[in-house]
Amino acid sequence: MPSYADFYRQSIDQRDTFWAEQAQLIDWQTPPRQICDYSNPPFAKWFVGGTTNLCHNAIDRHLKDRASQPALVAISTETDTERSYSFAELHAEVQRMAAVLQSLGVKKGDRVLIYMPMIAEAAFAMLACVRIGALHSVVFGGFASGSLASRIEDAEPVAIVSADAGSRGGKSVPYKPLLDEAIALSKHKPTAVLMVDRGLAPMAMRAGRDHDWAALRAQHLNAAVPCEWVESTHPSYTLYTSGTTGKPKGVQRDTGGYTVALAASMKHIFDAQAGQTYFATSDIGWVVGHSYIIYGPLIAGMTTIMYEGLPTRPDAGVWWSIVEKYKVTHMFSAPTAVRVLKKHDASWLQKYDVSTLKALWLAGEPLDEPTAQWISDALSVPIIDNYWQTETGWPILTLANGVEQQTTRFGSPGKAMYGYNVKLIDESNGEELTAPNQKGVVAIEGPLPPGCMQTVWRDDERFVNTYWKSIPGRLIYSTFDWGIRDADGYHFILGRTDDVINVAGHRLGTREIEESISSHPNIAEVAVVGVADSLKGQVAMAFAVPRDASGLVDDAARLKLEGEVMKQVDSQLGAVARPARVYFVTVLPKTRSGKLLRRALQAVAERRDPGDLTTMDDPVALQQVKDLVGS
Ligand code: ATP
Ligand code: MG
C-alpha cells in the first residue's frame, strides 16, 4: 500500500495516469479516449469519448452478484414504515418509473424536477432520470412556492415528480398546493406532473397535466427500460447550492467524472465494501443526499438507508436504534444535527449497540472541537470531519482512511484529498501562501477533479466570473472559505471569506469567537456576527442557545451568564474579541440545510433589511433577534 502522501502526489503530478486507474472502478460501455481535456480552461472535460450510465453503475451492475441483497431501505419515523428493496426490486421499480416518465414525454437531455419528501419513490425518480439520460433537478421538499417557482423557471422541466405531502414531527405538510402555486408563479410550465399519493393529504388533480403514480406504475409493471449510454460529459443533474451567502447557484454535474469520483471516494475515503450499510441523515435535496444517500453507496454495492423524520423523535436514540438494527457500518451526518442531539442526554446514544460503525462522518459546517468531543465521547466511534461544497460533489478535505489510516485532529477536516490541488491564497496580493500556519483563502488550482461542477447551468459566464481568478499563469477556483494548513498538511477552516470582522483594526474570524463561547458548559450553540460600530468600526455580537435555559429566569441571571461567556472569551482570545453583547435565544436562523444564516443575522443586528430569506428554515429565529436588538 502506498502512503497517502505518495498517493496524493501521484494524483497531482501524474493526473491522467492516476484517474485512468480510478476509471476502472466503474463500468463503461465505451472506454474513454482521453482522460482529461483541459484545452479550454476553466472548463474541464473528464473521460472524453467514454460512454457510461450512472444508473447502470448504481444498480444493473450489481444484479449478477447481489440481486437479492437490500439496496435501499426507506425508513420513516413519521409514518412508522420501513420499506426495503433488493437490487432486483430497485431495478424493477426504477424501470417502471423510467417507463412512466417516458410515457409522459421525457427524453434524453430533458429536465425532470423532483420535489419530494424522503420516500423511496424519490430515489426511483432520480435513478430513472439518469437511466434514460434525463437530468434531474431535485428541490428540497421543505421549500415553499417562491423558491420552487424560481427553480422551475431556471431548470425548465418537462415533468415534475412530487407527492401529496411530507411529514415533520408527526404533522403532514401538504406539497401539492405549494407545487400548484409555484407552477402558476413560474413563466415555464411543465407538460406533466406525476404525483405519488401517500394518503397523507387530499390533492386537487388537474386533468391532462397531473398523473397518479400508482395508476401509471400499474400499467408498466413489467417495464424493461434499458440504460441509455451517454457521453461521459453528458450532464447527469443540476442542483442548487444552499443559498447561505446569497442567490443559490445552479450546479451542473457530468456523468462519467461523477461516477468515477464517487466510486473512488467510496474506496479511498470511506474504505467501503460491497454488502456493508451506509446511513446518511441528509436529505436528497442537498448534495450529500445525491452523493452519499443515493449514488455513492449504490455504486459501491452497499445497502443505503433513507430516513424521513427528526433525529429526536420518538426520542434522541432513534438514529442509533437504526444503526443497531441494520448493522450500519458508515454513518454520515452534519454538525447541526449533532448540536440538536447535544441538547439531550448523552445516554440516549449509549442505549444501542453501535459497534458495527466504522466511523461517523460529519460535513456541512465547521465542526467545533467541543461538539466533536461530545459526540466522540457519547458514541465511542471515530468522528471524521469532511469539508466540501455542492460545487465539488465529494470531499475536498478529509482523511482517506482507505488509502492509509490517519489520525483525526479535532477542529480540522484533515488533508487535501487526491485530485484536489489545494492552495491557500493571500487575499491582499492574490499570491499563493506556501509556509505552514498562514491564513488564506482555500482555493483549488484547475482543472477541478472529476465529479466537480462542469459549469453553472446555462450560465458559463457566471461560472467563470463567480469562481475563477487567475494568479500568474494559472487559473484558481475559490471556495470562498478561509483556511490554514499546519506543517503536517492538516487544514483548518476558519469560516467564509465574508465572515471576518474588523474590530479597531484587528481582523477576527467569527468562528474563533464562536469556538471559545461554545466551550462554555451551558452553551449548546452560538453565532457571532460583526456589527457596525461608530467607534471601533465593528464589534462582535453573539447570539447563543443555552443548553439549559431553566435558570435564565430574569435579567440578572442572563447578565450573569453573559458575563461568564465574556470572561471566557477574554481569557481565551483576549479582550479585543470579547462580544459587545451576548444575547440568549432558543433557536438560530438557519438555512433549510441547517447552515447558519449569518448574513441575515448580521443585517437584523444592524437593523437593516435581511434580504432574500427564501432558504430560511424558521422565521421565529429572526424575530427573536429583532426583538432582542430592538429593530
Ligand atoms: P451558497 O454557496 O449558496 O451561499 P453554501 O455555501 O452554504 O451556499 P453548500 O455548497 O451547501 O452551500 O455548502 C458549502 C459550504 O459549507 C462550504 O463552502 C463551507 O463554507 C461550509 N462547509 C461545508 N463543510 C464544512 C466543514 N466540514 N467545515 C467547515 N465548513 C464547511
Ligand atoms: Mg457556497
Side-chain angles (χ1 to χ4, degrees), residues 311-518:
T312 50
R313 190 177 172 277
D315 56 55
V318 60
W319 282 354
W320 320 101
S321 74
I322 292 173
V323 170
E324 178 182 278
K325 179 168 176 189
Y326 289 94
K327 302 193 167 46
V328 173
T329 49
H330 294 70
M331 178 135 179
F332 196 122
S333 192
T336 188
V338 175
R339 290 191 196 104
V340 169
L341 294 173
K342 207 172 148 194
K343 289 175 201 157
H344 295 74
D345 206 82
S347 64
W348 282 114
L349 284 69
Q350 286 143 2
K351 275 184 63 181
Y352 300 93
D353 178 6
V354 298
S355 60
T356 48
L357 278 183
K358 281 171 166 268
L360 168 64
W361 282 265
L362 296 171
E365 296 163 277
L367 176 64
D368 56 284
E369 221 177 304
T371 301
Q373 194 62 57
W374 182 85
I375 185 81
S376 171
D377 293 343
L379 278 183
S380 303
V381 305
I383 305 301
I384 306 181
D385 189 359
N386 59 116
Y387 161 86
W388 45 300
Q389 307 182 303
T390 308
E391 290 87 340
T392 67
W394 61 283
I396 304 169
L397 303 172
T398 186
L399 301 179
N401 282 343
V403 181
E404 183 193 6
Q405 281 287 329
Q406 314 249 325
T407 18
T408 301
R409 293 195 188 165
F410 284 161
S412 162
K415 303 190 173 180
M417 281 301 99
Y418 54 89
Y420 288 103
N421 196 357
V422 175
K423 308 276 175 192
L424 291 173
I425 304 295
D426 183 341
E427 217 189 19
S428 65
N429 58 15
E431 274 168 34
E432 185 182 343
L433 297 164
T434 46
N437 302 320
Q438 288 181 289
K439 204 162 154 179
V441 180
V442 179
I444 303 159
E445 183 170 343
L448 292 174
C452 293
M453 75 190 296
Q454 289 181 294
T455 184
V456 172
W457 171 246
R458 284 195 175 147
D459 200 345
D460 286 350
E461 212 174 280
R462 188 166 177 214
F463 175 61
V464 176
N465 296 339
T466 305
Y467 296 104
W468 295 88
K469 301 223 161 29
S470 55
I471 66 172
R474 299 179 290 173
L475 272 174
I476 302 267
Y477 167 94
S478 174
T479 62
F480 300 101
D481 291 308
W482 286 107
I484 200 164
R485 176 176 48 227
D486 70 14
D488 303 321
Y490 283 81
H491 292 72
F492 295 79
I493 298 294
L494 305 173
R496 298 176 188 252
T497 50
D498 48 7
D499 289 347
V500 170
I501 59 179
N502 195 329
V503 183
H506 301 274
R507 284 162 68 79
L508 303 166
T510 47
R511 167 135 194 231
E512 297 166 69
I513 309 176
E514 285 166 4
E515 288 244 352
S516 167
I517 295 177
S518 64

Side-chain angles (χ1 to χ4, degrees), residues 545-600:
V545 181
R547 266 181 72 96
D548 174 11
S550 59
L552 298 180
V553 284
D554 54 20
D555 282 349
R558 279 187 287 271
L559 277 174
K560 179 168 173 285
L561 182 57
E562 180 172 10
E564 282 174 27
V565 167
M566 288 182 172
K567 215 187 249 155
Q568 180 156 311
V569 177
D570 269 10
S571 66
Q572 292 181 353
L573 301 175
V576 64
R578 181 203 307 152
R581 284 301 314 263
V582 181
Y583 291 109
F584 298 105
V585 292
T586 58
V587 50
L588 293 169
K590 292 194 175 175
T591 63
R592 292 283 182 159
S593 52
K595 291 159 190 276
L596 197 59
L597 266 171
R598 227 190 236 93
R599 72 181 156 84

